Structures are given as structure tokens and as C-alpha cells.
Amino acid sequence: MMNYFPDEVLEHVFDFLESHRDRNAVSLVCQSWYRVERFSREKVFIGNCYAISPERVIARFPRVRSLTLKGKPHFADFNLVPSDWGGFVLPWIEAMARSGVNLEELRLKRMVVSDESLELLARSFPNLRSLVLVSCEGFTTDGLAAIASNCRFLTELDLQENEVEDRRGQWLSCFPDSCTSLVSLNFACLKGEVNLAALERLVARNHNLRSLRLNHAVPLDALQKILMQAPQLVDLGTGSYVHDPDSDTYNKLKSAVQKCTSIRSLSGFLDVAPRCLPAIYPICLNLTSLNLSYASLIHNSELIKLIHHCSQLQRLWILDCIGDKGLGVVASTCKELQELRVFPSDIHGVGSAAVTEEGLVAISAGCPKLNSILYFCQQMTNAALITVAKNCPNFIRFRLCTLNPTIPDPVTMQPLDEGFGAIVQSCKGLKRLSLSGLLTDQVFLYIGMYAEQLEMLSVAFAGDSDKGMLYVLNGCKKLKKLEIRDSPFGNVALLADVGKYETMRSLWMSSCEVTLGACKTLAKKMPRLNVEVINENDLIDASSDDRQKVEKMYLYRTLVGPREDAPEFVWTL
Amino acid sequence: MEQDFVGMATEVSSYSNEAELELGLGLSLGGGLVKAKGSPWGEYGKIMTAKDFPSGFCGTKRAADYGGGGPPDVGYSAPPGVSQVVGWPPLRTYRMNSLANQAKVLNDEEEKRVGGNDECNGALKENMDNGSNKNDTTVKDNGQLGFVKVNIDGMPIGRKVDLNAHACYKTLARTLEEMFCRPSTTINSNCSGGQEKGKGTQPSKLLDGSSEFVLTYEDKEGDWMLVGDVPWGMFLSTVKRLRIMKTSEANGLAPSFRERNDRHKNKPI
């Protein structure tokens, strides 16, 4: 029946498909759907920049206006991937510039972005509206200056947790006076000074600004002036929040904040002076998102007083110095909570136990809507996990990180297999799971058996034998990303079902028992996989012993064969 | 060779009253100690072995170690060594740097009150003294440094070291030595009683006993300098990355280094 509809109708129907997965599915139905879909797709998502080439993406989707790219493997976030591994955005920008793509949005995660790339981006795409960089590196504030100067219709510049070299070149002042289109500006991760006067003028003339996240170099008196100009803000990241609470500036801040009745999301507080938090109490009632995970200088008692005001919170990111008691307060106050992240505050020394399993249990009991958790803690018990599983069957993301990666249940001295088993059995919609603590093959048996919707699994220092990994590969039908470190999984597990890897985006194994020979075998059998071996000490070459264990292996499906930009310590077999 | 370095260090050091900063010789990796006069680096030529880690951490790598049944016979308290496992706890570099910066702020205030820790006392003091001479921007640079890349000649892969975790050259040197004497700091490698499991030729070369390496850094102007000649605080404000260079190459570095340092002597801070 659909064949009798003209293309425009099909296109109109496809317009309603938001997710790229739906569009991918639709494009597989038949040739004409494939054709209509590809000419109408404007938002393209590439989960692994080496799975395909920019030229082929552009050829298939000539009307692409928004591109999302992810580069390095997830474990790169934790220094497990050598720098210079790859993930360069420049070839993508060059290809799009050459082809005359009308790029409006670019979203990058874990990619290497040079100033040259940013300059080319700014020059080549006059309609660029949105640039979002998450966990990227390789650029300086000079690159940002190029973006500010040239992108006349920029609405969004969002820099999240990037490593940016500060050149002190007044990049913020490069926004011309004619720039009035900004909706979102986030430069919280920048280390250097910004021209405060330029910032205030920028905010004053951009009346559509909804989201503003400042860096630590913006002091409280500047914040106060900015808020006076932008009471319409919905999302605010304060800079340094230090001032004398008895001063005139602070009083002005209080009245400025009171006018900001639209603020729903708050973050920052990178430096905090005591007794200054009450200024924000008036807006706490409206907050749905609060990120205090960089505010380690807030005193615990002030923090808890603050939480008491935040009854509408849906998302909370916090440091573990809130303690179990503080989490109890969260549990009794924040009944709408959906996502909680508790980060460690003391990683260099031996800290006192800040949060334990008790805090997690309290949250699970008090917050019925909880579906996403990242929890760093000193210890965890099976009993607690079982309780949490019972209280919260709706978890979509469950990430637990014990600071000692192989700590058992301190009460029973047993591994945490049963606890995690309960989680996967109860949470039928679980898509992402990170394990820690003492774990045997048993936990993987449970995961393979119950985690039917699981897409991403992170494993560290866990398991006893190949059986563990096999349970997962055989059982988790929807698995997309598997990353394993320091676990005794080897060749038998790796080679048991080679076809599985084409159904996944990628597999990472480091400090496991996999040998070079097995990687070679796998690469030979599966030409549409790139099997990369990264050895820190010895470069792999023709004379290498096949029985040698590889230190790091990263394999991913790809349509374009081995990449040409691999450094010498990465060998694609 | 030894003579050259001693000579060079004393000649270019503009802070002769700070004896502990005279870097007589570079990083002595592999246990062979090469001392220069008054060098504080003499003591650190130690390679950590498995027994330097509290057994509670090493001994519990897998359930198989105790047969998957009864409780193990070692304690499980979080050992101080936990934070030295690469990539654990799994936190983004950006976050680690921020935490380190804020911890440093608290620490520095503590140190001011308590009088500094034994190891870094002299260095910390001059760090703070220098801090008061700098303008705000440079102090902020100090605070925001965090991880810098470090490469060693002969190994293609670089690592990253957290400068915020150190208050003086001594501890930095020790950390670097650990990092490059045990290539991958994981349970696998360090718990095998010191056996390297044939992980490569690098460790055995270092264990020859000669100090063939020197620690250098690239500063903000792109010049390569010998580590240790300037006060720690100044080093922090100017270092971009580190390189553990073969001594033979560093010799070539010396003349230009000397010139540059002469220029630096005349530059206002």
C-alpha cells in the first residue's frame, strides 16, 4: 500500500521518526523506503567514527545538517587508551566542507579536535548553529575564538569536561556585537580568565539565552550582574561562588536570584564561601536538576540544608561527602528523583567511609522513580543490592563502583554475585550495567540469563574463567558495547562466537588473557571487524610471538577496513 | 658524564640557597643510584614490588585464589595503593583534576597551619612564597594543572602523571620511576612476585643499573628544560609536558639550556 504514496508523503511520515534507530529500521524495509529515508535524513548519528568514512556518510545522506560523532573507546576517559590513539574530527570536517554540506549542528564525544578543525568548521559552515564538545581534547581557546568570530547564527556552544588549553586570547570578546542568537553557552570547563565586561555585554544582548554555565574565573559580583540581565535563564552554572555573605554584592545577588523564576537546573559552585548558599534557596523549589559534584568545598551541613529545599529534583549529582545520612535526607525530600550520581571526593588518600550501602538502600526506599544510578562507595553488601533491586525494578542504568575494585561483601565476605544477580533479574529494562567488587563467573551467568535488554556492560577485575565472558556473549542478545579490564577472560571466550561482534558496536579487553594469535585468528575470520592491538612495551610486528598476551585489544565493526591514521603502537590485524 | 651534570646544575641554579633543588643527576631508573652532592634524589632509587602493596589488595584479585568458598585470610580495608591502579576509580581526567585542585587548596591551607609535611617541607614553603609573588593568573595556572603527558625514550606509549598530587620533585620522581619501571600498573603484573611475565625488554634495560635517563620538561615557550632547576611552584606554572630523555640526548640539550636559563635569570617573575 505504501508503494502507492508519492515520496513526499513517505518523507512526511518519516519526519515523525525522531530516533536514528527507527530511521535505520525504516531504511531496511525496501529500496524505495531506503531511498526516501536517506534523502530526508537530516540528523546523522555515528557511534564510532571509524565504523564508516565521512565520504560514505555524506554520499548516503546528502542532506545531513546535524552530525553526532563518537571517537575513542569509553575507557579512554580513564587513561586506559594512550593519547594519540586517534579519533580525529578533521577529516570529517574537511569532507563535509568539500561536499558543500550545509552543516548546522556538530556534536562530538571523546574526539581529538584541533584548532585547525575548529577554524575550518567556522569558515566552511556559515549556518552552523550548534557545537557541542564532550570529553574532547586537542584544542585551545584560539579555536573557540574562531567559532565565536565567524558563526553568525550560533545558538549553542556547549563545552562539557574537555581538556582545553587556555591561550588567554580573549575568545569570549570575539563574539561580535551582532551576535544575538545565543540560547546556550557553557564554558565551565575552561581554566582561564574571561573578559567579564565582554561576558556581561554578551549576556545582555542575547535575550534568548536559556542556558549559561560559567567557569571558575567568573566571580560572584559578575554573576550577580549577569543574572540581572538574564532573569529568563532556565539552566545556570555558577562560577566561583565566593563572597562575603554580609556584603552589598551578596545582597544584590539575593535579589537577582529571586527574579530568576525560570531556573530549573543548577550547577557549578566550584569555589564556595560558607553562608552564601542561602541566596539560592528561593529557586530551589523549582529545581529539577542539581549538579554539586564539583563543589567539594561546600560544608556538609550547608549541603543538607540546601537539599531540604529541593523537593522537585529529578536529577542529582553530588559528592560522597554528603554521607549516608545526607542521602537519607535526599531520600525523604526528593520524591521525584530519577537519576542520582554520587562521586568520590577523596581519591588520593585513604578517605573515611563517606557513603556505604546504607545510603543506596535509603535512596531506593525513598525514591520510587529512580531509574539511573552511578554510585561510588567504600563497600557494598549483597543484602543491600537485593533490597535495592526489590525497591527499584525500573533501573535503566546501574553503575556501581567500589573504591577497592575487588572488595567482597564485608558482612559475609562473599562475592557480590548474588546482589548484582538480583539487580539484573528485577530490572527487566536494564540497558547499562557497570560492575565492581569481588565477582566470580556466577554474576555473569546471571547477567546472561536475565539482562535481556542490556546494551552496555563494563567489567573490571571480575570473573574466574572464560565461562564468565561466554555467559554474557551468549545470553545478552542486545549487547552493543562490552568493555573488560583486568579479568581472566581469554581466547576461548574471544573466539567462541565470532559472528557476535558484528552485532555489536565494539569490544574492549585490556589486561586479560587474550593472545596475539587469537586476535589474528579473529581478524582473519571477520574481515568486517577492525581488531586493534595496542601494546605499550613491544610494538607488534611480524616477528612477534603469537602466544604473547596482548595488553589492550579494541575491536569494532566497520565498513571501511583498517584506519589509516593509527599510530605505530596500534596494530590493526 | 656525571661531572657534566653536576657542573651544569650548580652553574645554572639561580637558587643556590635551596640545596635540595640542585638536581645533580637525572632520574635514576632501575635501582642504580647515582648521587650528586647533596642530591635529594639519592633515596628514591627503589623499585616497588608486590610486597609494597598491602596484601589485602593484591591477594584478592579473584575468587579462584581462595577456591571460591571460604573467606580469604587477608584483610580488605581500602589500601593506600588503590589510587595507583591506572584508571581506577573510573573517573574522567577532568574530574580528577578538579578534585585534585580543590584538595590541594584545602591541603595547602592545612599545611600552612601545620607546617608542611616532612618530605616536601622546603619545597612547599618556597612554593607558597613564590605564590605570593605571582599574579592571580599564574596562581590559577598552578591550580588548574592536573595531568600532564610524560614520555620516556624508547617506549612509544606516553602516560599521564598528575602533578597536583605532588608538592615537590622528590615524590614526582618516585612516581615516575614506578610508572615506567612497572609498565602496566595492574594487579596482573605487580602481583606475580616481581616476575615480568615477559612483558617486554624495557624493564630489564632499566635494571642495568646505569642512570641512562634524565627528566626533562617542555615549558610554555616550547623549550626543553631539565627538571629540578627552578622552584617547584614555578615549574608547575610553566610545565606543559615531561620527557624522560636518554642522557646522551640531554647532553646536547645542555648548552642551549644554559643560555636560556641565563635569560630567565634576567626575566621578571
Side-chain angles (χ1 to χ4, degrees), chain A residues 77-80 82-83 109 135 161 163 168 188-189 191 193 216 270 293-294 296-297 343-344 347-348 350 376 378 401-406 408 413-414 438 440 460-461 463-464 485-486 488 511 536-539 568-569, chain B residues 57 60-64 66 69 71 76 78-80 82-83 85-100 102 106 137 140-141 144 147 149 155-157 159-160 162 165 183 186-188 199-201:
Chain A
D77 277 350
F78 319 132
N79 278 335
L80 287 181
S83 42
K109 188 168 186 180
S135 212
E161 299 190 333
E163 293 293 321
R168 246 178 294 289
C189 66
K191 301 170 194 164
E193 308 280 328
H216 80 100
L270 306 167
S293 64
Y294 287 102
S296 63
L297 302 173
F343 292 96
I347 45 180
H348 283 297
V350 185
F376 286 81
Q378 285 285 350
C401 179
T402 54
L403 292 174
N404 176 342
T406 55
M413 298 311 262
Q414 292 298 304
L438 188 65
T440 73
F461 305 99
D464 309 308
R485 62 166 294 187
D486 295 274
S511 303
E536 297 193 45
N537 295 321
D538 292 325
L539 297 186
E568 56 169 1
F569 52 81
Chain B
F57 185 53
T60 59
K61 58 179 164 173
R62 250 140 254 152
Y66 59 87
Y76 286 96
V82 162
S83 65
V85 175
V86 174
W88 198 270
L91 292 171
R92 277 190 187 156
T93 310
Y94 176 79
R95 187 174 283 282
M96 297 269 248
N97 287 350
S98 299
L99 286 181
Q102 290 177 335
L106 290 173
T137 330
K140 281 198 163 68
D141 279 349
Q144 296 293 327
F147 283 83
K149 293 185 188 176
M155 244 201 247
I157 310 256
R159 306 292 295 273
K160 279 189 184 173
D162 180 8
T186 63
I187 288 178
N188 274 338
K199 269 194 189 284
T201 55

Side-chain angles (χ1 to χ4, degrees), chain A residues 379-415:
Chain A
Q379 62 183 44
M380 185 52 56
T381 65
N382 283 309
L385 285 175
I386 291 168
T387 305
V388 169
K390 223 179 345 195
N391 292 339
C392 291
N394 298 321
F395 276 121
I396 299 174
R397 283 178 291 275
F398 190 90
R399 295 193 279 167
L400 188 79
C401 179
T402 54
L403 292 174
N404 176 342
T406 55
I407 193 170
D409 179 328
V411 173
T412 63
M413 298 311 262
Q414 292 298 304

